[in-house]
Amino acid sequence: MALRAVWLIRHEPGTPLGGTVRFSRRYPTVEKRAKAFNGMTYVPVPEDGPFLRALLFQLRLLDDDKDFMERRDGCSRINKTSIYGLSVGGEELWPVIAFLRDSMIYASVPLVEQALSPRPPLISISGVSQGLELLLGIQDFLYSSQKNDTDLHTKLSQLPDLLLQACPLGTLLDANLQNSLNSINSVSVTQPQKQPAWKVGAYKGKAQISISITETVKCMQYGKQDIADTWQVAGTVACKVPVPPILGSYHMKEEGVQLKVTVNFKLHESVRNNFEVCEAHIPFYNRGPITHLEYKASFGQLEVFREKSLLVWIIGQKFPKSMEISLSGTLTFGVKGHNKQPFDHICIGNTAYIKLNFRIADYTLTGCYADQHSVQVFASGKPKISAYRKLISSDYYIWNSKAPAPVTYASLLP
């Protein structure tokens, strides 16, 4: 439900082109959407000159064009609506909404969210009604209380700001442009403000600036002397920490139809012990559903997703004072249903793993932060500046150290 472009064209018989484009507005973001939706049937919106010529020809408003033409005047082309197809550059631009009122041609091209061949019914294109509604709103605004051409010129000069309010980024919010004009006039400014395309109107409150620093932790821990653990902390500034924030070990041993698992975690003393969330996911995707579980957790709680063969150890917001926690248990699995169970090549044997998910607000391992007192803003007024930082885990894996052979999955780290 959006518009690709809008035009106001003054019909001027006797002039070389037969008319003049008094106003035009294109919406590049909507044009990108049109290209994606229309696919091979996409026809780009032409420049003002070719569009003017094609539209005047289609409306039979060219002085030198009085002859009958089948592709425009034939019985199959009888048009009972204001919707046209314009021939531009050997292609047909459709649908184009256009009508003539008081020597002014109002035109727009709505977005069609599907392929254009075969042509979809007009009733299924919501942008058609919106485009017509906007054009009628512009007509009412231009000729309400208009006395002469000077008034018309003044109102035309106001259209860019009004459409920024009434139709931001091509999406119609209010076809009554007088409402937008009143909104603009109600905001008193000492200097003219240049509005960005995404901003609907002038901000009336105190200006604010938010600065956010986010660090992402990626870690591989193998628990083997012959394989070095790897970790990486990256964010706005790529950097390397001396140790991973949470040290862990994972032991898994298979005994008949049972699995015995042991998990140990230790929070490094330099890390803030205050999490927004902290949990460990222990998947067993290549086995059947969990039918029996006996476990002992020194801290937190364990959730069992039996059908998904997944254990989730919810550690919570804080580690205990010892900074160490452990989990041990014995699992029994049922018969695997191949049609229901997901398959993962790195969840069995020497590729079994635990994935840690955690977030810590207002903290970074590197100590990076934004000094809000040093931020310089070259604009009128004094904005409010807020700075945020957060530590987030990503691809934080702890591998099964009881595996019979070393395993390296460097591809999981960039």
Side-chain angles (χ1 to χ4, degrees):
M1 299 187 294
L3 302 177
R4 297 167 61 184
V6 179
W7 291 269
L8 292 183
I9 299 173
R10 188 64 177 262
H11 180 219
E12 299 172 338
T15 59
L17 296 179
T20 304
V21 176
R22 300 297 301 272
F23 173 83
S24 66
R25 167 63 57 85
R26 290 168 173 78
Y27 297 98
T29 55
V30 183
E31 194 67 15
K32 290 183 179 179
R33 292 166 58 191
K35 189 173 184 179
F37 281 123
N38 301 157
M40 298 298 295
T41 61
Y42 167 76
V43 177
V45 172
E47 297 297 324
D48 287 350
F51 180 84
L52 170 64
R53 181 75 181 180
L55 182 60
L56 293 180
F57 168 80
Q58 189 65 38
L59 297 178
R60 293 184 61 88
L61 296 177
L62 292 176
D63 295 334
D64 58 350
D65 184 22
K66 302 300 182 182
D67 296 332
F68 174 85
M69 299 191 68
E70 177 62 32
R71 67 183 178 90
R72 180 193 62 187
D73 305 319
C75 294
S76 61
R77 294 286 184 169
I78 295 177
N79 195 348
K80 297 182 180 180
T81 66
S82 297
I83 311 299
Y84 302 91
L86 304 187
S87 179
V88 181
E91 298 180 300
E92 186 176 54
L93 179 65
W94 182 92
V96 178
I97 308 170
F99 59 86
L100 176 65
R101 295 289 188 278
D102 299 323
S103 299
M104 188 73 75
I105 302 173
Y106 303 81
S108 66
V109 178
L111 172 67
V112 181
E113 298 179 341
Q114 55 185 303
L116 298 175
S117 180
R119 284 187 180 179
L122 290 177
I123 196 173
S124 67
I125 306 175
S126 57
V128 170
S129 59
Q130 287 198 349
L132 185 59
E133 184 180 8
L134 176 62
L135 295 179
L136 292 175
I138 294 176
Q139 177 193 346
D140 292 341
F141 171 73
L142 292 182
Y143 291 98
S144 61
S145 67
Q146 178 188 331
K147 299 179 181 179
N148 49 46
D149 288 342
T150 302
D151 292 340
L152 177 62
H153 179 75
T154 300
K155 292 191 173 184
L156 286 173
S157 65
Q158 295 173 332
L159 278 181
D161 292 335
L162 294 181
L163 285 186
L164 190 62
Q165 294 270 347
C167 192
L169 298 176
T171 301
L172 181 63
L173 300 181
D174 188 359
N176 189 339
L177 300 191
Q178 189 61 43
N179 292 339
S180 300
L181 181 63
N182 295 337
S183 176
I184 292 176
N185 292 336
S186 65
V187 181
S188 59
V189 291
T190 57
Q191 297 180 359
Q193 298 182 358
K194 184 178 181 180
Q195 298 280 16
W198 50 266
K199 194 172 184 181
V200 176
Y203 181 64
K204 301 179 182 179
K206 185 177 181 180
Q208 299 187 28
I209 296 177
S210 297
I211 300 174
S212 177
I213 295 178
T214 300
E215 288 185 348
T216 300
V217 182
K218 296 184 179 182
C219 186
M220 296 288 181
Q221 299 180 30
Y222 301 96
K224 295 180 178 296
Q225 294 182 352
D226 55 341
I227 301 179
D229 297 341
T230 60
W231 58 89
Q232 182 184 81
V233 181
T236 304
V237 179
C239 50
K240 184 78 179 287
V241 296
V243 294
I246 299 178
L247 298 173
S249 65
Y250 177 33
H251 300 165
M252 185 183 76
K253 185 177 181 181
E254 190 166 0
E255 296 181 353
V257 295
Q258 292 184 334
L259 278 183
K260 291 188 175 181
V261 297
T262 303
V263 183
N264 295 284
F265 290 138
K266 181 179 180 181
L267 182 66
H268 195 270
E269 60 270 12
S270 64
V271 178
R272 174 181 294 176
N273 189 13
N274 188 8
F275 296 82
E276 288 186 347
V277 62
C278 184
E279 59 186 31
H281 290 211
I282 313 174
F284 305 95
Y285 292 155
N286 279 322
R287 304 177 185 271
I290 299 173
T291 58
H292 182 72
L293 171 65
E294 294 181 359
Y295 73 93
K296 181 180 179 180
S298 66
F299 194 78
Q301 60 185 19
L302 191 69
E303 291 191 357
V304 183
F305 295 85
R306 297 184 182 275
E307 294 301 322
K308 296 181 178 180
S309 300
L310 173 67
L311 301 181
V312 178
W313 185 10
I314 301 176
I315 299 170
Q317 296 181 330
K318 285 182 178 293
F319 273 62
K321 291 183 178 180
S322 64
M323 299 298 183
E324 297 184 13
I325 58 177
S326 63
L327 169 69
S328 60
T330 303
L331 299 90
T332 305
F333 299 89
V335 179
K336 179 181 177 182
H338 292 280
N339 294 331
K340 295 182 179 180
Q341 294 295 325
F343 189 83
D344 191 334
H345 287 284
I346 58 171
C347 287
I348 59 175
N350 62 338
T351 59
Y353 66 89
I354 295 176
K355 183 176 182 181
L356 270 175
N357 295 325
F358 59 83
R359 293 196 304 270
I360 305 178
D362 195 26
Y363 175 81
T364 57
L365 284 172
T366 59
C368 290
Y369 71 97
D371 184 2
Q372 57 189 11
H373 301 292
S374 300
V375 177
Q376 298 183 14
V377 181
F378 300 95
S380 58
K382 185 177 181 181
K384 177 183 178 181
I385 300 175
S386 302
Y388 305 93
R389 55 181 182 166
K390 181 177 293 188
L391 178 69
I392 301 176
S393 66
S394 174
D395 298 338
Y396 198 115
Y397 294 94
I398 298 174
W399 298 95
N400 176 23
S401 60
K402 288 293 185 181
V407 56
T408 57
Y409 282 87
S411 61
L412 293 178
L413 286 175

